[in-house]
Amino acid sequence: MMRRKVLQLLLIGCVLLTFTSLYIYNSSSSYVVPLPPFNLYRSTNEVFPDSDRRMLPAPIIGRALAKNDRSEVGGTNVTERRELNTLSHEGNLQLRENGTMRFSSNKTNNSVTDRTFYNKTNLESKSEHSNTVVSRNTTLGVFARSKLWANYGTTSNCSPSKTNVAFIKTHKTGSTTLGHLINRYGYHNRLSFVMNKHSRHNGHLVYYNVTKDSPRLKFLPPIGVKMTDYNNYKYNIIAIHVRYNRHVMDSFMKPNTTYISIIRDPSSQFESAFSHFQFDDAFPINERRKFNTTKDKLEHFLKKPNQYRDRLKLMSWEKTMGLRWYYARNNQAFDLGLDHKYHMNKYMVQKFIDRLGREMTVVLLTEYLNESLLVLRKKMCWTWSDILYIAKNRRPQVETLPELLREKIRSWNDVDTMMYNNFNRTLWKQVKEYGQNFQKDLSMFKEMLNQVFTECVSTQYQRSSGRGFRWIEYKPRVGSSYECKLLVESKRNLFKKIWTRQK
């Protein structure tokens, strides 16, 4: 009898241990996966082809102050002597004068830096034999800085640079990558952001209809402005999810704000939205069990799209009833301000597109992100380093859809298709206006992106949400520069910095 009780207790213990282990595994938000030499997740539907960089060995940057190092930060001159060791197990990373990169075998001893530069706020000590720069900044401390930023960080094609920008963030268009770029620019230049004070994890307003009272009711105050000083609630940057309303936004954005957005081929955007927002929840349970791939689910949805979309109106998403109904057709046009009741009126649609063309300085295209960023850089008088990026929220796997299905999706999202075709033509007009150096600059920019990814990224890993959505994030290389860390870190970490400083 006693033995039977012991066996029963052991069995119960094993069952509890098994369920506990499964719970911990399923609730874990991230796990590390090996980074392949080439990105094995690449797909013909993926939209950031130039973000899939080959992982090359980067130098290990060691920093040690010499024993006789002296630093006098109080006066007009600051003297520093610093030893810089640039080591690599497989070779030395060298940047040529024209900005290209090469690796050479590490056969000689490491050089020692012994040069002094004088500056009250920012010191740079640079080796004659190394392309790495060591900088001291009174707010950032000591950090390693690559020659990439030293060469291109202050290079602009015009002046003055435009610091006030309203980025209208659309859904499932790669807008997180562009939003991170805009946020990094604003954080680096200590600018004030529009943020929902009731949403401290991302600041989004989503489909809240902004009014002239929104700053008082919803926004964090700008940097240096008191909480109740509403007349001075004027902002440099907006880069959160919020519907476009130019008249209202002009009331709280600073004068001469530049308005931009990003859109995507509707066949790719809708596939991404379908997967992320799980539109197949609209299928009855007996239908849902029949389909395993996104392709099959999309084919089935498009057989009765109005019926399934209307079912989404009766379902909750992110604690909001019917939210996915807005996402399930012409979502990009809706984000940019056109109510669904006008989507069947071709005259109103064309009028809306024409107005966007007048009001938006640049509408970037996800499929031509690098080309779009060159146009944006020239319009904004920004530097090369201002438009560097590493893709955010990129899915590890994307299904390839047949062209016939893609055409069905474009037909269902007919307003988004009209809008995309219009701004596709606009982009290539802007490329032509850019001038004869466009292809040369584009090649150089792609090479810079390659260099940045190689220099800054250590490993990639997958993260997942409770709804099963997975995306790729990256870890910066140990000892990498301050700029690298800003580029590589997650959208949430950068937003937390912005929120903390402004709050």
Side-chain angles (χ1 to χ4, degrees):
M1 183 67 70
M2 191 66 162
R3 183 179 296 175
R4 183 179 298 174
K5 288 185 176 179
V6 171
L7 289 173
Q8 287 176 345
L9 290 173
L10 284 173
L11 181 61
I12 292 171
C14 289
V15 171
L16 289 173
L17 181 61
T18 300
F19 278 105
T20 303
S21 300
L22 287 172
Y23 174 79
I24 293 172
Y25 176 80
N26 290 328
S27 61
S28 177
S29 62
S30 66
Y31 57 97
V32 176
V33 295
L35 183 68
F38 289 91
N39 196 320
L40 302 179
Y41 302 124
R42 184 87 171 267
S43 152
T44 54
N45 268 11
E46 195 49 73
V47 296
F48 294 112
D50 292 305
S51 298
D52 297 335
R53 315 290 180 202
R54 185 178 179 182
M55 297 305 300
L56 298 173
I60 300 171
I61 300 174
R63 294 169 300 226
L65 295 178
K67 289 183 179 179
N68 60 345
D69 177 32
R70 291 181 300 162
S71 181
E72 302 169 6
V73 183
T76 55
N77 292 336
V78 181
T79 304
E80 278 192 21
R81 185 169 181 269
R82 180 168 288 106
E83 180 181 70
L84 175 67
N85 294 324
T86 304
L87 308 173
S88 175
H89 295 296
E90 301 189 32
N92 289 330
L93 177 67
Q94 295 184 348
L95 288 168
R96 300 189 184 98
E97 289 300 324
N98 64 2
T100 60
M101 178 178 285
R102 70 181 179 88
F103 286 89
S104 60
S105 176
N106 190 0
K107 302 282 186 178
T108 60
N109 294 330
N110 298 306
S111 59
V112 177
T113 299
D114 190 11
R115 295 184 62 188
T116 304
F117 291 77
Y118 300 95
N119 188 293
K120 188 170 183 179
T121 59
N122 188 44
L123 297 169
E124 290 189 345
S125 180
K126 179 180 174 184
S127 168
E128 294 180 357
H129 307 287
S130 170
N131 288 313
T132 303
V133 177
V134 169
S135 300
R136 174 183 289 277
N137 184 289
T138 55
T139 58
L140 302 176
V142 180
F143 58 89
R145 194 177 188 202
S146 80
K147 190 174 179 181
L148 184 67
W149 276 278
N151 280 351
Y152 302 115
T154 58
T155 302
S156 176
N157 59 328
C158 57
S159 63
S161 62
K162 299 177 182 178
T163 57
N164 302 326
V165 54
F167 168 48
I168 310 305
K169 201 170 186 290
T170 48
H171 286 86
K172 314 317 295 177
T173 58
S175 63
T176 299
T177 296
L178 184 55
H180 192 275
L181 185 155
I182 301 292
N183 285 341
R184 192 180 77 241
Y185 176 83
Y187 180 75
H188 184 74
N189 289 284
R190 199 173 174 80
L191 303 177
S192 294
F193 292 76
V194 171
M195 290 182 285
N196 182 357
K197 63 184 178 182
H198 305 299
S199 180
R200 64 175 301 124
H201 66 288
N202 58 30
H204 292 328
L205 290 162
V206 195
Y207 291 153
Y208 167 80
N209 289 318
V210 292
T211 67
K212 292 183 178 180
D213 288 327
S214 294
R216 176 176 59 85
L217 299 173
K218 290 281 187 177
F219 297 175
L220 278 183
I223 294 174
V225 176
K226 293 181 179 179
M227 186 71 73
T228 56
D229 188 8
Y230 301 120
N231 289 334
N232 287 314
Y233 273 33
K234 303 295 180 183
Y235 298 88
N236 306 103
I237 288 181
I238 184 168
I240 56 175
H241 278 301
V242 60
R243 286 193 75 204
Y244 179 55
N245 185 327
R246 181 60 178 266
H247 175 68
V248 171
M249 289 177 172
D250 279 344
S251 69
F252 54 75
M253 296 301 295
K254 288 199 171 183
N256 302 316
T257 291
T258 299
Y259 286 79
I260 67 172
S261 188
I262 184 170
I263 59 176
R264 184 179 183 184
D265 178 349
S267 67
S268 298
Q269 188 272 342
F270 188 78
E271 181 276 328
S272 181
F274 190 97
S275 300
H276 180 82
F277 298 118
Q278 300 171 3
F279 294 161
D280 57 310
D281 284 351
F283 300 164
I285 294 177
N286 62 321
E287 291 182 14
R288 206 179 309 167
R289 293 171 179 165
K290 297 178 182 178
F291 309 106
N292 294 319
T293 66
T294 302
K295 170 184 170 297
D296 291 340
K297 293 174 183 177
L298 279 166
E299 291 274 15
H300 188 69
F301 181 92
L302 292 172
K303 289 178 181 177
K304 296 181 285 187
N306 286 304
Q307 176 182 321
Y308 291 129
R309 184 177 178 232
D310 285 342
R311 285 174 63 91
L312 290 172
K313 191 181 289 188
L314 305 175
M315 298 178 179
S316 179
W317 184 264
E318 295 179 346
K319 301 179 181 179
T320 304
M321 184 63 66
L323 184 60
R324 285 182 287 183
W325 183 86
Y326 296 99
Y327 296 149
R329 189 177 191 187
N330 294 318
N331 182 223
Q332 298 178 82
F334 183 76
D335 284 342
L336 289 169
L338 185 65
D339 290 340
H340 284 288
K341 63 183 179 181
Y342 299 118
H343 288 194
M344 303 303 292
N345 186 327
K346 296 302 180 186
Y347 170 77
M348 291 296 294
V349 169
Q350 190 58 56
K351 187 176 179 181
F352 158 77
I353 293 173
D354 293 341
R355 178 172 57 81
L356 278 183
R358 294 191 300 271
E359 295 179 353
M360 293 280 174
T361 299
V362 182
V363 175
L364 296 87
L365 301 185
T366 312
E367 287 74 17
Y368 303 103
L369 182 59
N370 293 336
E371 291 85 348
S372 300
L373 285 172
L374 287 192
V375 172
L376 178 67
R377 173 182 175 267
K378 194 163 189 177
K379 297 278 188 183
M380 301 296 290
C381 291
W382 282 1
T383 69
W384 287 108
S385 62
D386 291 332
I387 62 169
L388 294 174
Y389 69 91
I390 290 175
K392 308 296 178 185
N393 263 26
R394 187 168 57 86
R395 289 180 289 168
Q397 290 178 305
V398 182
E399 286 187 32
T400 301
L401 303 181
E403 187 58 32
L404 182 60
L405 178 56
R406 294 168 74 87
E407 285 300 327
K408 288 180 182 178
I409 294 173
R410 293 186 186 108
S411 179
W412 170 244
N413 295 278
D414 53 343
V415 177
D416 280 358
T417 301
M418 284 182 63
M419 184 171 65
Y420 183 85
N421 289 339
N422 178 84
F423 286 108
N424 189 10
R425 292 189 295 268
T426 301
L427 173 63
W428 299 110
K429 287 179 184 177
Q430 292 172 326
V431 167
K432 186 176 181 180
E433 293 167 0
Y434 187 101
Q436 60 185 2
N437 289 331
F438 182 82
Q439 288 301 327
K440 177 183 174 183
D441 287 352
L442 181 61
S443 296
M444 183 176 73
F445 181 51
K446 289 180 178 179
E447 179 60 28
M448 290 174 68
L449 292 175
N450 275 315
Q451 293 178 22
V452 162
F453 195 89
T454 301
E455 180 179 321
C456 298
V457 175
S458 167
T459 55
Q460 73 178 21
Y461 61 99
Q462 290 185 30
R463 294 204 65 185
S464 62
S465 68
R467 297 187 296 267
F469 175 70
R470 291 182 177 179
W471 67 96
I472 299 292
E473 287 192 359
Y474 303 96
K475 289 184 178 179
R477 289 192 184 275
V478 175
S480 59
S481 66
Y482 165 75
E483 292 96 340
C484 271
K485 290 174 182 175
L486 279 183
L487 266 170
V488 175
E489 70 181 348
S490 68
K491 60 176 183 178
R492 180 162 294 192
N493 288 346
L494 179 57
F495 179 80
K496 185 177 179 181
K497 291 179 180 178
I498 294 168
W499 177 282
T500 301
R501 183 169 66 185
Q502 191 160 323
K503 194 173 188 303

